[in-house]
Amino acid sequence: VIVRLSAPTQERADRIAAVLAPVGLRIRARALALPALPRPAASVAAAARRRALLAVEGAGGVVVLEDEALVVPALGGQPGQASSSFADGAASADGVVPEGTAQGAGAPREQAPAHERNVARLLLLMAGVPLHGRAAVLLTHVVAAVPRRVLFEAPAECHGWLLDEPRGAGPGYDAIFVAQAVPDRSLAELAPHARSRATGEGRALDDLLIWASRGGAL
Amino acid sequence: VIVVDGGSGTGKSTLVDALRALGYEARERGLPSEAASEGMPEAGAALPEGEAYVILDAPEEVSRARLMESGKLLSGNWHTHEALAMARLRFKEVARALGVPVLDARRSQGEVLSAVLELLDIELGPLRVGLPGGDTFEAIAGILRTAGYPVDEVAGPAGTHAAPGLELRALPPRSLPRLVSLGLLDAAFCGYESLVDSGYDGVVQVLAHLPLEPVRLWAAAASPELLSSPPPRPLVIATPWPLVAGRWASGRHLAHVCVETFGPAGAFAPALADLVVDRAEVIASCPLVALEEVMAGKTCLFARGRAVHHQFGTRIRAACSALLAGQLTPLRVIAREGPQRRPWAFSPARGRATRQREWKHSAHPGSWSLAAVASAASSRRASPSWASRSRPSPATTRSPVC
C-alpha cells in the first residue's frame, strides 16, 4: 500500500511518517500541499474529510492528511476553515488589514510570511479584548482516505487562549496560542512532542497507529 | 447501506433480498445509476457516508433470459438487446470513474452473494457491541431483550455475552467512544455526556437516545457575578467532564483551565477552583450558586461503519419507543424529556445569534428549577446507596434560576 501524507508543515508530515513506519507502510510522498476547497464545508472536520478526498483523487493509494484550524468564539468562530489564509480575506471581510507583521511594524504586507500576516490580523481583531475573553480552540483532524471513501478519522480538540503578542516562532498561530495543558508557554515555545501532547494531536496519531497496525490501510 | 446497482436483469433484487435476510440494509440503485443516466458527480465528491456499492454485470443474453423468467416484457424500452448492451457499457464506465467494484453476475445466487460479502469485507460474524458495566448494564440488557436480543448473562457484567447476532462486551463506559471510532467495536452504549467528553462525537453517529440515566450538567460558582465579571485571568474549572466544560466555557469566550476531578467536583470550589461543572444533584448538594445549564443527556447508542444501517439500531429505537409509550416498565426508566441540547459545537454554520439564544434559554429554563430537578432525580433513582443519603433541602440551595 502506498501512503501519501498531507500536513500543514513538513515536520508534522515527518511525524505522521514516523508513526506509520513501524507498521511497515510505504510512504511515497510527504507534505503534499493541503488542497483548497471550492467552498466552505459544514465544519472543520468535514473540511478535513473533503481535503483528504481531493488529495487522494489525483494521487491514488491512501492519503493520510492532518488538518488544523483555529476557532475564536469571540470572532464568531473565525478564522476556522480559513485559518491558513485568514489575512488574504481581510479587506473584503472586515476591512482590518495588518500592514506590518507581528514582528516588524511597518513592513510591507507582501514581504511577511502568510502565517505572520494571519497572526497579525488576528491580533488586530482581538485588540483590547481582556485575557479572560480571549478563549480559542485549536482543532486538529487526522484523516485517511482512498478515492471517494474516508477510511479513518481522529479528532483532537485543544482549548486555550490567545496571547496579545507573539511569543516564540512557529507555524500557524502557535506563537499566540496557549494550550490550557501548558498555561505558561505558547505552542511555539514547546518542543514538538510536548506540543503534540498539549494539543491532543498525539492521541489522534495514537489512534492512527492503532488503526494502521490492525490493517486498516490494507 | 449496501447499494446494488447495474443494468436490468442482472439479479439486483435477488441479491438485495439475500443481503436483507442476513440482517444488512440493502437497496437497489443509487449513485452509479444516477451517474449512468445524468453524468458523473463533481470532482472531490465523496460517496455517501455509510454506503457500500457494487455493480452487477451480465451479458445481454443472460439478462434477457432472467427478465423473461420473471415475466418482464422483452420488448420494453430498457430490455431490448441494444438497450441492455448500452447500459452495460455505461455502468462499466461509471464503475471505473467511481472506483466501484463490478461483479460477474452470471454465477449462481450463492456465489454472487459470497463474492459481494468478500468484496465488501463484510464479516458474517456478530455485531460487536460495547456495554457499560455496572448498574446500567442491567437496564440496557432489559432494552436489548425488548428489542429481540435476549442477553446471556452467565458471563456476568465483566465478560462477553452472547445474543443472537451480537457479541456484547461490558467495558468501562469512557473507553467505548474511542473503541467504536477505531473500529474495534461496531456500536456501543454510554452516557451522552461521556460521548461528548470523549471528543469522538463528531466521528461516530448517534443511533438512539435511550430513556435511561438522564444527566443534567450545570455550572456553579460561589458568586453569581462570576460570569458577568470574571477575574482578569483564565478561570479554573473543576469538573469530571473537562471537554464538555471546555466547550461550554469557550463558547462563552471564557479563557479557562479545566481540572479533571475524576469524581464529584463540588468540594473544589471556591478554594481550589473558580467554577464547577457537575451533575445537578452534586451542585444542589453544595453551597454554590447554580449559574447555567451546560448540557443534558441520556444513555445513547452510537455506531460507526456497518452498524450504522444495521437493523440493530432500528430495533433498539423501536424498543425505546415501546418503553416510552408505557407498554413496558423496566428498571430505572425515568426520562421523558424532549430533544437534548448539544453543548457548543465549533461549526461556522452556527452564528453568534444562535449561541446567544441558547444561553438565554439555558439561563431561564422555564418551569423547573435546579433544586426540583435534583430532588426529582434523587427520589426516582432506585440506587439504595443514593436513597440512603440525606438530600439537601431546596431551601439551602441558592440558585438564581429558581
Side-chain angles (χ1 to χ4, degrees), chain B:
Chain B
V1 182
I2 302 169
V3 182
V4 181
D5 221 323
S8 300
T10 50
K12 297 185 295 297
S13 310
T14 310
L15 180 57
V16 164
D17 289 345
L19 288 167
R20 284 177 180 163
L22 287 173
Y24 295 101
E25 192 168 327
R27 70 160 197 267
E28 288 180 54
R29 300 212 183 269
L31 196 60
S33 279
E34 289 171 24
S37 58
E38 297 166 19
M40 300 293 169
E42 65 177 69
L47 289 172
E49 180 76 18
E51 292 190 355
Y53 288 85
V54 64
I55 291 177
L56 298 182
D57 175 69
E60 298 83 77
E61 295 76 19
V62 175
S63 296
R64 282 170 66 84
R66 286 179 179 168
L67 287 167
M68 197 159 61
E69 274 175 30
S70 61
K72 303 274 174 63
L73 286 175
L74 295 181
S75 56
N77 282 347
W78 299 102
H79 300 160
T80 62
H81 198 282
E82 293 73 22
L84 289 170
M86 179 61 73
R88 199 176 172 203
L89 271 178
R90 281 193 178 167
F91 272 110
K92 282 184 177 174
E93 285 172 15
V94 168
R96 270 196 298 276
L98 295 178
V100 174
V102 178
L103 274 181
D104 184 350
R106 284 176 297 185
R107 294 174 283 179
S108 70
Q109 177 191 336
E111 286 173 328
V112 173
L113 177 61
S114 300
V116 167
L117 295 174
E118 188 180 347
L119 197 65
L120 299 177
D121 195 23
I122 293 170
E123 298 170 8
L124 285 173
L127 210 62
R128 299 160 302 169
V129 179
L131 297 172
D135 295 343
T136 318
F137 178 88
E138 291 299 328
I140 294 175
I143 288 183
L144 284 167
R145 280 185 215 104
T146 306
Y149 299 103
V151 179
D152 170 12
E153 296 188 30
V154 175
T160 305
H161 304 258
L166 303 182
E167 180 187 294
L168 301 167
R169 198 174 286 277
L171 294 163
R174 291 206 168 197
S175 69
L176 293 170
R178 191 181 192 190
L179 293 173
V180 172
S181 170
L182 285 168
L184 298 171
L185 293 174
D186 298 307
F189 297 88
C190 79
Y192 185 63
E193 73 286 356
S194 295
L195 173 60
V196 173
D197 199 58
S198 74
Y200 291 101
D201 52 328
V203 176
V204 301
Q205 191 166 332
V206 175
L207 301 183
H209 290 282
L210 280 62
L212 295 172
E213 304 284 345
V215 169
R216 286 184 182 279
L217 301 184
W218 274 72
S223 163
E225 277 78 46
L226 185 72
L227 295 183
S228 55
S229 306
R233 57 171 171 77
L235 286 179
V236 179
I237 304 175
T239 177
W241 294 278
L243 193 52
V244 171
R247 286 184 184 182
W248 169 79
S250 291
R252 294 208 54 140
H253 310 177
L254 293 167
H256 63 277
V257 175
C258 283
V259 178
E260 187 169 4
T261 58
F262 303 100
F268 281 71
L272 303 174
D274 301 308
L275 200 137
V276 162
V277 172
D278 211 327
R279 292 171 188 264
E281 305 94 285
V282 173
I283 301 294
S285 66
C286 301
L288 298 172
V289 179
L291 301 175
E292 192 172 293
E293 188 185 33
V294 173
M295 74 170 288
K298 291 174 272 188
T299 299
C300 66
L301 168 65
F302 56 95
R304 206 170 173 227
R306 69 169 174 145
V308 169
H309 297 283
H310 195 278
Q311 59 181 350
F312 177 62
T314 310
R315 288 166 74 169
I316 292 294
R317 279 194 295 273
C320 292
S321 300
L323 292 170
L324 288 175
Q327 295 168 11
L328 294 160
T329 313
L331 187 67
R332 295 155 72 93
V333 174
I334 55 179
R336 290 170 190 265
E337 295 94 340
Q340 299 174 356
R341 284 185 54 231
R342 279 174 63 95
W344 167 252
F346 297 97
S347 162
R350 293 161 60 90
R352 186 175 299 175
T354 308
R355 278 178 284 135
Q356 284 170 345
R357 277 200 301 276
E358 288 185 356
W359 297 338
K360 188 178 177 185
H361 169 75
S362 53
H364 302 280
S367 58
W368 60 273
S369 70
L370 177 60
V373 167
S375 172
S378 59
S379 64
R380 285 165 171 168
R381 279 181 177 264
S383 163
S385 61
W386 175 267
S388 64
R389 287 170 58 183
S390 61
R391 237 178 29 241
S393 161
T396 63
T397 307
R398 294 175 292 140
S399 169
V401 298
C402 290

